[in-house]
C-alpha cells in the first residue's frame, strides 16, 4: 500500500521535495528524491530520531537515503547523523574538524542536555556521530540522477561559523536555509554565532533563490523572499550591521 507524505507527517513543497517539522524543538528536516537516490537535509536530535527519519524517507521514496547534508553543527540538526553512516555526508567546511575536537563535542553534548535531551541519548548519538566526508567551501553541485541536481552553498558564517544552504531548482525553486532563517521564533544567536556576517548570509540566500522561491527555515513554516528580507533587515538592526 502506498503511503502519502502527509500520512507520515511530511509536507510536500514541490515535486519530489518535502520536509517535516520534528516534535520537541520544531526542527525542520528536508527530503529531495532523485533517480535511485534520496537526499536528506539534517538528521534530527538523536540516533532514534535519525533512525525514524531514515525509515520514513525510505518508505516515501522506495530507496535508501544515499546522501545527507548537514546545515550547521547544532545538536537538534546533527545528532541523528549516526543513522546515516553509509550515506555520503556533506557539510560546510570546518564542521568535520569541529566534530573531532573534544571541547566542541562536549559543548554539543552540554547544549543538547541543557535543552532537554537525555544524557544517555546524547552520549549514544555522539558515539555514533557521522562526520561529513565532503566539505563544502563554496558551491557544490550534487547530481541525484535524471537531471535532478541540487546546489549546496556555504553561505555562512552567520547563525554559526559553519552554515550550509541547499537550493533545489524547479518550479518553484526551494531553498533549505537551516537556522539562518527561523519563522517560529526570533533567530537564535548563541555563542557560536557570527552576527556581523549574518545579514550578508541572508543576502546570499536571496541571491540563490530569487523572489519566487520557497524558503524553508530551520524552524517554522515555509516563508517567501519578503520574509527573509525582513529578517535580514531586523538582524542588521539588532546587531548594528550597516545595511
Amino acid at each position: 500500500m502506498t503511503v502519502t507524505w502527509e500520512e507520515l507527517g511530511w509536507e510536500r513543497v514541490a515535486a519530489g521535495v518535502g520536509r517535516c517539522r520534528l516534535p520537541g524543538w520544531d526542527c525542520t528536516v528536508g527530503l529531495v528524491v532523485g533517480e535511485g537516490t534520496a537526499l536528506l537535509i539534517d538528521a534530527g536530535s538523536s540516533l532514534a530520531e535519525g533512525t525514524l527519519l531514515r525509515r520514513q524517507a525510505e518508505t516515501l521514496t522506495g530507496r535508501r537515503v544515499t546522501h545527507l547534508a548537514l546545515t550547521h553543527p547544532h545538536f537538534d540538526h546533527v545528532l541523528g547523523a549516526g543513522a546515516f553512516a553509509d550515506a555520503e555526508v556533506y557539510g560546510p567546511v570546518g564542521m568535520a574538524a569541529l566534530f573531532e575536537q573534544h571541547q566542541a563535542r562536549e559543548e554539543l553534548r552540554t547544549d543538547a542536555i541543557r535543552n532537554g535531551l537525555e544524557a544517555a541519548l546524547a552520549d549514544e548519538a555522539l558515539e555514533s556521530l557521522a562526520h561529513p566526508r565532503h566539505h563544502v567551501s563554496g558551491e557544490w553541485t550534487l547530481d541525484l540522477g535524471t537531471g535532478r541536481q541540487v546546489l549546496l552553498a556555504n553561505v555562512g558564517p552567520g547563525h554559526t561559523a559553519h552554515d550550509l544552504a541547499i537550493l533545489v531548482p524547479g518550479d518553484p525553486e526551494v531553498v533549505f536555509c537551516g537556522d539562518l532563517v527561523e519563522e517560529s521564533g526570533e533567530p537564535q544567536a548563541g555563542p557560536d554565532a557570527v552576527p556581523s556576517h549574518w545579514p550578508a548570509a541572508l543576502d546570499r540566500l536571496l541571491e540563490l533563490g530569487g523572489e519566487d522561491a520557497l524558503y524553508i527555515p530551520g524552524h517554522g513554516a515555509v516563508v517567501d523572499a519578503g520574509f527573509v528580507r525582513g529578517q535580514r533587515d531586523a538582524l542588521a538592526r539588532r546587531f548594528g550591521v550597516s545595511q
Side-chain angles (χ1 to χ4, degrees), residues 20-109:
C20 68
R21 294 169 65 173
L22 297 173
W25 297 280
D26 189 30
C27 176
T28 288
V29 169
L31 179 61
V32 183
V33 184
E35 176 62 30
T37 61
L39 165 69
L40 199 76
I41 300 166
D42 286 335
S45 62
S46 68
L47 190 58
E49 197 161 59
T51 300
L52 175 62
L53 287 167
R54 178 166 192 157
R55 184 163 61 247
Q56 290 182 342
E58 292 178 349
T59 297
L60 290 171
T61 64
R63 63 210 67 178
R64 73 179 184 88
V65 175
T66 53
H67 301 77
L68 171 67
L70 301 174
T71 62
H72 64 286
H74 282 170
F75 83 94
D76 48 335
H77 296 259
V78 304
L79 285 187
F84 304 92
D86 60 340
E88 297 297 324
V89 183
Y90 295 76
V93 67
M95 179 185 280
L98 192 70
F99 287 167
E100 293 170 359
Q101 297 173 11
H102 175 74
Q103 181 177 346
R105 290 171 66 90
E106 283 300 304
E107 290 172 355
L108 189 60
R109 178 182 187 274

Side-chain angles (χ1 to χ4, degrees), residues 16-223:
V17 184
R19 67 86 176 248
C20 68
R21 294 169 65 173
L22 297 173
W25 297 280
D26 189 30
C27 176
T28 288
V29 169
L31 179 61
V32 183
V33 184
E35 176 62 30
T37 61
L39 165 69
L40 199 76
I41 300 166
D42 286 335
S45 62
S46 68
L47 190 58
E49 197 161 59
T51 300
L52 175 62
L53 287 167
R54 178 166 192 157
R55 184 163 61 247
Q56 290 182 342
E58 292 178 349
T59 297
L60 290 171
T61 64
R63 63 210 67 178
R64 73 179 184 88
V65 175
T66 53
H67 301 77
L68 171 67
L70 301 174
T71 62
H72 64 286
H74 282 170
F75 83 94
D76 48 335
H77 296 259
V78 304
L79 285 187
F84 304 92
D86 60 340
E88 297 297 324
V89 183
Y90 295 76
V93 67
M95 179 185 280
L98 192 70
F99 287 167
E100 293 170 359
Q101 297 173 11
H102 175 74
Q103 181 177 346
R105 290 171 66 90
E106 283 300 304
E107 290 172 355
L108 189 60
R109 178 182 187 274
T110 298
D111 189 40
I113 295 171
R114 182 173 59 245
N115 280 280
L117 188 67
E118 294 179 19
L121 296 180
D123 291 338
E124 176 188 47
L126 282 166
E127 181 66 26
S128 63
L129 184 60
H131 296 196
R133 302 169 187 166
H134 306 285
H135 316 297
V136 183
S137 60
E139 295 182 352
W140 188 311
T141 300
L142 181 60
D143 190 349
L144 296 178
T146 62
R148 163 139 277 173
Q149 295 182 329
V150 301
L151 181 69
L152 311 181
N154 188 329
V155 298
H159 175 65
T160 73
H162 314 284
D163 288 306
L164 187 71
I166 295 87
L167 168 67
V168 187
D171 185 16
E173 295 196 325
V174 179
V175 182
F176 288 91
C177 306
D179 284 5
L180 286 166
V181 178
E182 296 190 43
E183 185 276 335
S184 55
E186 186 174 271
Q188 297 299 301
D192 58 345
V194 187
S196 61
H197 290 265
W198 201 334
L202 296 190
D203 285 337
R204 181 69 181 120
L205 286 181
L206 290 165
E207 291 172 3
L208 284 172
E211 285 299 307
D212 298 324
L214 299 177
Y215 293 86
I216 314 296
H219 302 265
V222 178
V223 299

